[in-house]
Amino acid sequence: MLTPAGKVQPDRRRRPRSQMSHQNRTTPFSSVIADPARGLFMGNRGCLHRADGQIIRAYAGKRWITCLTRFKGRRRALLQPGRYTELFFLDEAVALAAGHRPCAECRRDDYRRFQAAWRAAGLPEAPGADAMDLVLHTARLDPATGQQRHHRADADALPDGAFALGDDLPLLKHRGRFLPWRPGGYAPALPRPPRGPVTVLTPAPLVRILVAGYQPVLHPSAG
């Protein structure tokens, strides 16, 4: 089920076995849901599941990455006991909102672009993977609740690729418009976009990286 703030909410809706989906689709709220929609990227944040495949935690460790779904012909079974949980994202903007960065192995060029934007944004710490992960982990989680951390910003000042919250819906800022997110793609832009201060889902350092020029890969439904 779609829940804000990264809460783990098992999907208990009954469906025929042939139509059942793994709980591995990640939302801009950083929560993990079961949905048949496919995404452009895979990623992980450690082993989140039990041996039976049930998701039991929101994360395991500080390294949250976004990977290609295909890389050097590698293949793996989903939800293997004791192995990392394969997560899937509609696109890279969703992955950033959830607090993930590009993988340094399978997305090496994007990782370097990300590092360059990190430097340009004037963010703290040298942009090695461990240092970046520590900064991002602090920014994406509220220490009091362990849930997704939000911040406020002016809607007009948000860069393209960032997510805001409007009427409990995650909204992608794209070309000055706000597109409601759905697991299978974006809905048409809101006829009346938000104005003034809005709640921002994308962690503050990643918003700064977008401002610095990092361009995430977007789903074709964004237009």
Side-chain angles (χ1 to χ4, degrees):
M1 302 176 83
L2 182 61
T3 60
K7 295 180 181 178
V8 177
Q9 180 79 23
D11 188 341
R12 296 187 175 90
R13 292 172 294 178
R14 293 193 175 276
R15 283 177 286 207
R17 184 174 298 274
S18 61
Q19 298 180 19
M20 291 184 69
S21 302
H22 294 300
Q23 187 182 352
N24 57 11
R25 269 53 179 179
T26 309
T27 79
F29 292 124
S30 196
S31 55
V32 182
I33 64 173
D35 192 277
R38 303 296 296 178
L40 300 183
F41 290 95
M42 189 189 83
N44 83 83
R45 55 181 77 159
C47 182
L48 315 183
H49 62 279
R50 299 186 311 213
D52 63 0
Q54 176 67 53
I55 301 293
I56 57 173
R57 59 180 67 90
Y59 66 93
K62 297 180 176 65
R63 181 148 296 174
W64 297 22
I65 58 175
T66 309
C67 302
L68 300 176
T69 57
R70 295 184 181 183
F71 181 64
K72 293 185 176 180
R74 297 178 185 175
R75 299 180 65 86
R76 57 183 287 130
L78 299 180
L79 301 174
Q80 299 177 69
R83 305 292 295 276
Y84 73 76
T85 304
E86 300 84 359
L87 303 176
F88 294 89
F89 310 91
L90 176 69
D91 60 15
E92 191 174 12
V94 172
L96 292 175
H100 291 241
R101 63 159 175 83
C103 174
E105 182 185 9
C106 67
R107 301 185 61 204
R108 189 66 179 176
D109 290 344
D110 292 333
Y111 175 77
R112 287 173 173 163
R113 287 196 303 113
F114 186 86
Q115 284 182 307
W118 186 287
R119 293 188 185 95
L123 289 165
E125 304 292 345
D130 290 340
M132 290 193 295
D133 290 339
L134 182 59
V135 172
L136 292 177
H137 198 68
T138 301
R140 63 190 166 219
L141 294 176
D142 184 332
T145 65
Q147 308 301 329
Q148 186 185 44
R149 183 196 289 271
H150 300 155
H151 61 282
R152 301 281 286 177
D154 188 86
D156 290 338
L158 273 184
D160 282 359
F163 269 90
L165 186 63
D167 294 329
D168 295 326
L169 293 175
L171 306 174
L172 172 71
K173 179 78 173 289
H174 180 54
R175 298 175 181 170
R177 305 174 302 162
F178 284 87
L179 312 180
W181 171 89
R182 296 289 186 274
Y186 296 102
L190 296 180
R192 295 182 179 179
R195 292 285 183 258
V198 292
T199 297
V200 183
L201 305 183
T202 307
L206 295 175
V207 171
R208 291 174 62 179
I209 284 174
L210 293 171
V211 171
Y214 185 82
Q215 297 182 353
V217 178
L218 300 182
H219 191 265
S221 60

